[in-house]
Amino acid sequence: MERRAEAPPPQGLDFTVENVEKVLSSGGSSMSMGTFAGNLPRDCQQEEQSSELVLLGVDASPESSLVKALHQLYYDPNIENKNLAQKWLMQAQVSPQAWHFSWLLLHMDKVPEIQYFGASALHIKISRYWNDIPADQYESLKSQLFTHITRFASGSKIVLTRLCVALASLALSMMPEAWPCAVADMVRMFQAEDSNVDGRARCLALLELLTVLPEEFQTSRLPQYRKGQVRSVLAQECGSVFPLLEQLLQQQDSPGFIKQKVLKCFSSWVQLEIPLMDCENLIQAAFTSLQDPELFDTAVEAVVNAISQPDAQRYVNTLLKLIPPVLGLQEQLRQAVQSGDMETSHGICRIAVALGENHSRALLDQVEHWQSFLALVNMIMFCTGIPGHYPVNETTSSLTLTFWYTLQDDILSFEPDKQAVYQQVYRPVYFQLVDVLLHKAQFPSDEEYGFWSSDEKEQFRIYRVDISDTLMYVYEMLGAELLSSLYDKLGRLLTNTEQPSTWQHTEALLYGFQSIAETIDVNYSDVVPGLIGLIPRISISNVQLADTVMFTIGSLSEWLADHPVMINNVLPLVLQALGNPELSISSVSTLKKICRECKYDLPPYAANIVAVSQEVLMKQIHKTSQCMWLMQALGFLLSALQVEEILKNLHSLITPYIQQLEKLADETPNPSNKLAIIHILGLLSNLFTTLDISHHDDDHESTEVKKLPVQQGPNPVVVVLQQVFQLIQKVLSKWLNDAQVVESVCAIFEKSVKTLLDDFAPMVPQLCEMLGQMYSTIPQVSAIELTRQLVHIFAHEPAHFPPIKALFLLVTSVTLTLFQQGPRDHPDIVDSFMQLLAQALKRKPDLFLCSNLDVKAVFQCGVLSLKFPEAPTVKASCGFFTELLPRCGEIAPVGQVVHENGKALLQAVLEGIGGQASRSLMDHFAEILFALNKHCFNLLSIWIKEAMQQDGFPSARVTPEQKENFSQQILRERVNKRRVKEMVKEFTLLCRGLHGTEYTADY
């Protein structure tokens, strides 16, 4: 839809202060303000008498001030002055004086910029302040607008459009009671003979008015009940519009620009859900207009908008009548394709897809017309396979992909008998679609591809992903037969020595197979063994083909785990590709998949995999992220080896990095060695993320029989960590002020803890000590997160409780000090601290019995955190209290603090509900209320009564009766938490003045 309401005034006109003031003054005080201007709304008259606009602190008349502000907005180079002028002009447009100066600014002697501002001010006043206008002024205002639109019919186009939008807004507000036949009146008014205005200009003005009327309706601020009422009236009034439009299109002497406006007008009206049968004549006329190049784009838009209306599927007979004219466009489409006319082929494709995609179910149901619909489907197939490479030679084929989803869904939704009939007709169509899509997915020649821009290459990549998704979806209809078809074609391609194929053809077939294998379980397919056998026969001489070979192998990694004898067929290809930086992503991700899925069958190949990986890591062939993936792959691989073998491989793998880290630890900190340190720490983290000899992550039955016995003795990861612990401490001592380095250090231990779980136990005492030192020096989020992990896993074990307890108390003490100094600069630390407290209460509530823990201070910090503007911090604080309150009875210090300070907690919760917190947090506040009610009922009943007695609390918008009702509802509900959440949501809407508004309809 063409945007009209916000179009900026044109520039480049003589808009100096002197000239504009001269033009303004030419109207002078003798200029009549017109009937409506002379009879301003009563309240506006009073305000206009007593108020005077002031610009930039200089008293002046409204007209003079407006001139200066407009000049400042468009020509002052100072951006602050522009912003100031814009703000002032916006205030001027909504001021009572706008009724006065708008008409003055619309004088025909004014320059378009000033006229445009006057028309915009009128529209704003009418659309936003309709209730300010007395009913006895409606007719006067209407008459004035008609008069000005007639005057501007031959004037500035943008001013005419704004005046039409203003009259459209007036009509929408008046109909149907105050202006029952608004549209018919508009047509009659402009058709009346007027010697002063050219007939063609009046016609264009009328078409502009009729075009903006539905557009203004779509963006209007009418209440919902009025919107439905007005929509119904407008739909009936199309009887006054469509005959006029048909007449103008059929007249032989109608110029092209008139017909174009007619089509735009029709396109605007059909979006009001006009019955499709009422649009039939104009749609047919629009089809005829498609033969005119000048009207083609506008006619396409009109036909597509008419066909795409949701209500259109009710008019099946009309839809059937539309199929022949759509099919009649095929010759025009072929000619456009042959001549390289992308715009025409694109437009015709849009029409065919609009009919097929929006109404496939309705048209499929018309069994007696199956051949005509099949012809439409074949036309769309032609559009899918349109010659040329997307997006360089064509941009049409991508429009059709959603149609194939829709058609398949509709066919598969029929009952079995009917579905079988349609499957018989459309399975061959979908097999043809697969061939077409794989052809479209082919890369261009190397030479041609070399000339493509990076943007075109990215668009082509996304297009191939869309094709991949479509192929995966089509598998649901075609099943295993699709895989057999792809395999047979690939086999013929690779074994045909007489006609060597291009690499593009081979790559496309592999890409199709990979698209399906990535998301569909192909473990039981009988063609995969043959495919694995064919892959080594592929002559790889191109990066794109090599990439697809890698991704195809990766998509078959689960199948390889069930058929380990085939691993040796493809693993050498993957290891060879690791050394090619152009294949970095595909080769590393494929090796990672194989190591994850097939690790119990890889020990015979482990030495080779480690050696090749170590070589490419040392050569720094890959980017950082791929290096991390490669370390994860090696972690999976080593997990399946014996401990001695793991330690041996770990030693050779990480010794070079440890030596490098030792060297870096001795250097003076600088940006260069910082990146190197973070890289090495990241490699260790990713290795330890997946190196799990206890096999905690194994959850599929297929590997159960292959599991190695649980190893005795220390875990290899722990052995390595203990060896490098002092080195890590040394690094930390120099980089403690750097959050990224600290985060990287913590990540090593955090990932190790998550992977090893109880096996990490030997490291707990020294890690707790190091964390305490780190956090005492500079509190950082990563240290709290790691502390939380340790509390989660080890706090309940007696042997590890002392160091965990000491660390917890130290972190709490340091964070409480931070609160005393001002926590607002550290919402992330407060967030993590609240999560730590909640975790401690879950896993080891005894931590709150420690005499060294200031439970009262912790409670008060939690209350303060509830008032933070950051939603995640408030959510974490709510989680803390939700865990704390149920412990009132079992932990004496907690019970005492809640008894003494619980009222402050309730006060903070009610403030949040009252409007101080985001509405997205209301469920979390409701959980605190529910916990208070369940575990502290007697206290809550006193506190809530006292809190609600405060005037204006928690909001000035709620009455004492509403507050009392809410209090009683909360106190009565001690079982159903969902009901409490509903009460809180209801009450917060009342507090915010939003209850019952459309704004909260889905809340």
Side-chain angles (χ1 to χ4, degrees), residues 390-670:
Y390 182 95
V392 176
N393 311 116
E394 62 90 8
T395 56
T396 298
S397 57
S398 61
L399 299 175
T400 66
L401 297 181
T402 311
F403 164 75
W404 299 109
Y405 286 82
T406 305
L407 178 61
Q408 179 178 314
D409 282 345
D410 288 335
I411 291 171
L412 297 180
S413 68
F414 286 120
E415 59 275 10
D417 292 344
K418 196 171 183 180
Q419 186 185 131
V421 174
Y422 281 110
Q423 286 259 21
Q424 193 174 356
V425 175
Y426 285 99
R427 275 177 69 86
V429 173
Y430 273 86
F431 273 112
Q432 182 189 353
L433 174 66
V434 171
D435 290 341
V436 167
L437 290 177
L438 291 179
H439 180 74
K440 294 297 294 181
Q442 287 186 22
F443 280 89
S445 68
D446 294 336
E447 183 181 3
E448 185 182 346
Y449 193 63
F451 285 109
W452 284 20
S453 68
S454 57
D455 185 52
E456 288 168 341
K457 289 178 180 178
E458 176 61 13
Q459 286 185 57
F460 182 58
R461 184 193 68 77
I462 295 169
Y463 175 66
R464 278 171 51 97
V465 170
D466 292 339
I467 287 177
S468 173
D469 292 342
T470 309
L471 289 170
M472 179 267 293
Y473 204 75
V474 167
Y475 180 84
E476 187 180 349
M477 176 177 272
L478 302 181
E481 197 178 338
L482 173 55
L483 292 178
S484 299
S485 171
L486 292 174
Y487 171 67
D488 290 343
K489 288 172 182 171
L490 184 62
R492 287 196 299 272
L493 207 63
L494 295 177
T495 55
N496 188 344
T497 54
E498 296 178 6
Q499 287 184 316
S501 63
T502 63
W503 70 263
Q504 287 93 339
H505 199 174
T506 305
E507 189 277 336
L509 284 169
L510 272 178
Y511 184 70
F513 209 108
Q514 171 214 328
S515 300
I516 297 163
E518 273 183 339
T519 48
I520 307 295
D521 183 6
V522 295
N523 282 6
Y524 303 103
S525 170
D526 56 359
V527 303
V528 177
L531 177 65
I532 295 288
L534 283 175
I535 285 177
R537 301 184 60 167
I538 297 173
S539 176
I540 301 176
S541 57
N542 179 277
V543 171
Q544 284 85 14
L545 176 58
D547 257 336
T548 302
V549 169
M550 287 299 108
F551 284 127
T552 304
I553 294 171
S555 70
L556 298 172
S557 56
E558 289 185 32
W559 185 91
L560 288 170
D562 291 336
H563 306 82
V565 71
M566 304 296 285
I567 290 175
N568 197 40
N569 279 42
V570 293
L571 186 59
L573 291 173
V574 179
L575 294 179
Q576 183 182 355
L578 275 181
N580 186 344
E582 292 184 294
L583 303 177
S584 182
I585 293 175
S586 60
S587 62
V588 174
S589 65
T590 297
L591 180 63
K592 181 183 171 183
K593 286 181 179 178
I594 292 174
C595 289
R596 182 181 65 218
E597 302 298 336
C598 311
K599 61 185 173 186
Y600 298 108
D601 301 296
L602 292 180
Y605 313 103
N608 194 20
I609 294 173
V610 172
V612 172
S613 300
Q614 196 166 357
E615 182 182 356
V616 299
L617 284 168
M618 286 295 105
K619 287 182 178 178
Q620 298 182 343
I621 287 174
H622 302 295
K623 292 181 179 178
T624 299
S625 55
Q626 279 72 58
C627 291
M628 303 305 160
W629 293 355
L630 190 50
M631 278 302 209
Q632 289 178 23
L634 294 173
F636 286 124
L637 173 72
L638 298 179
S639 299
L641 303 181
Q642 296 293 327
V643 170
E644 296 79 12
E645 285 296 309
I646 295 174
L647 287 170
K648 178 182 172 185
N649 281 288
L650 279 177
H651 179 74
S652 66
L653 184 62
I654 67 175
T655 295
Y657 295 111
I658 300 303
Q659 291 172 347
Q660 189 181 352
L661 193 60
E662 286 174 340
K663 182 182 176 185
L664 291 166
D666 291 328
E667 294 178 2
T668 305
N670 63 68

Side-chain angles (χ1 to χ4, degrees), residues 661 669-679 681-682 685 727-749 770 774 780 782-783:
L661 193 60
N670 63 68
S672 175
N673 56 28
K674 171 187 169 178
L675 290 176
I677 289 170
I678 290 174
H679 180 74
L681 295 174
S685 294
L727 175 58
I728 290 175
Q729 283 184 309
K730 185 177 180 181
V731 171
L732 265 179
S733 66
K734 289 193 175 182
W735 290 93
L736 203 50
N737 290 317
D738 192 291
Q740 288 177 293
V741 174
V742 171
E743 191 175 330
S744 299
V745 168
C746 289
I748 292 178
F749 296 103
M770 186 183 82
M774 285 167 53
Q780 296 194 27
S782 50

Side-chain angles (χ1 to χ4, degrees), residues 143-432:
S143 174
Q144 283 287 84
L145 284 168
F146 268 123
T147 301
H148 278 79
I149 288 173
T150 305
R151 287 178 187 164
F152 277 91
S154 303
S156 168
K157 172 70 171 63
I158 62 164
V159 180
L160 173 65
T161 298
R162 296 306 292 156
L163 286 169
C164 288
V165 171
L167 181 57
S169 183
L170 177 85
L172 294 173
S173 298
M174 290 178 68
M175 65 175 58
E177 294 86 0
W179 196 359
C181 302
V183 179
D185 287 351
M186 291 175 186
V187 174
R188 188 168 56 253
M189 184 83 74
F190 281 93
Q191 283 182 326
E193 288 299 325
D194 186 337
S195 57
N196 296 327
V197 182
D198 172 60
R200 189 170 287 176
R202 274 189 289 115
C203 180
L204 281 171
L206 174 59
L207 288 172
E208 183 69 14
L209 177 58
L210 293 177
T211 302
V212 301
L213 183 61
E215 294 175 3
E216 180 68 8
F217 171 77
Q218 303 290 1
T219 58
S220 67
R221 302 183 178 200
L222 294 172
Q224 201 60 40
Y225 79 95
R226 283 274 295 139
K227 207 149 193 174
Q229 189 182 41
V230 173
R231 183 193 296 275
S232 175
V233 172
L234 286 173
Q236 293 169 10
E237 292 252 38
C238 76
S240 302
V241 179
F242 284 10
L244 170 67
L245 301 184
E246 290 173 30
Q247 179 187 347
L248 289 170
L249 279 178
Q250 290 164 2
Q251 283 178 358
Q252 296 298 320
D253 59 343
S254 285
F257 62 87
I258 291 281
K259 290 183 176 181
Q260 196 166 59
K261 286 297 298 180
V262 168
L263 290 168
K264 283 184 179 179
C265 184
F266 172 55
S267 188
S268 179
W269 274 81
V270 293
Q271 295 180 65
L272 293 172
E273 299 177 15
I274 309 293
L276 190 65
M277 58 186 182
D278 293 344
C279 306
E280 205 172 310
N281 292 341
L282 279 168
I283 294 175
Q284 295 294 347
F287 272 108
T288 304
S289 300
L290 289 169
Q291 304 305 316
D292 185 339
E294 186 183 350
L295 302 178
F296 181 82
D297 290 342
T298 317
V300 167
E301 208 63 44
V303 173
V304 169
N305 283 343
I307 292 175
S308 302
Q309 288 306 302
D311 199 44
Q313 59 190 348
R314 291 171 48 201
Y315 306 96
V316 179
N317 289 333
T318 305
L319 289 173
L320 289 170
K321 289 179 187 177
L322 292 176
I323 294 180
V326 173
L327 296 177
L329 298 171
Q330 289 181 95
E331 184 56 36
Q332 188 179 356
L333 174 61
R334 288 192 184 93
Q335 289 177 4
V337 170
Q338 287 172 5
S339 63
D341 183 354
M342 290 169 63
E343 286 75 16
T344 298
S345 57
H346 193 84
I348 294 174
C349 175
R350 281 186 65 200
I351 292 173
V353 170
L355 183 57
E357 188 177 316
N358 287 292
H359 307 296
S360 62
R361 178 60 189 247
L363 294 171
L364 280 169
D365 275 330
Q366 309 309 304
V367 181
E368 64 276 15
H369 297 279
W370 69 272
Q371 287 177 308
S372 63
F373 183 60
L374 182 59
L376 177 65
V377 171
N378 285 326
M379 181 180 177
I380 296 174
M381 180 74 77
F382 177 82
C383 294
T384 304
I386 202 162
H389 289 288
Y390 182 95
V392 176
N393 311 116
E394 62 90 8
T395 56
T396 298
S397 57
S398 61
L399 299 175
T400 66
L401 297 181
T402 311
F403 164 75
W404 299 109
Y405 286 82
T406 305
L407 178 61
Q408 179 178 314
D409 282 345
D410 288 335
I411 291 171
L412 297 180
S413 68
F414 286 120
E415 59 275 10
D417 292 344
K418 196 171 183 180
Q419 186 185 131
V421 174
Y422 281 110
Q423 286 259 21
Q424 193 174 356
V425 175
Y426 285 99
R427 275 177 69 86
V429 173
Y430 273 86
F431 273 112
Q432 182 189 353

Side-chain angles (χ1 to χ4, degrees), residues 102-126:
S102 295
W103 305 106
L104 290 176
L105 300 183
L106 282 167
H107 194 276
M108 297 305 291
D109 289 343
K110 306 295 184 287
V111 292
E113 285 92 335
I114 293 185
Q115 294 169 337
Y116 177 87
F117 183 81
S120 295
L122 275 176
H123 172 240
I124 288 172
K125 295 298 288 185
I126 292 169

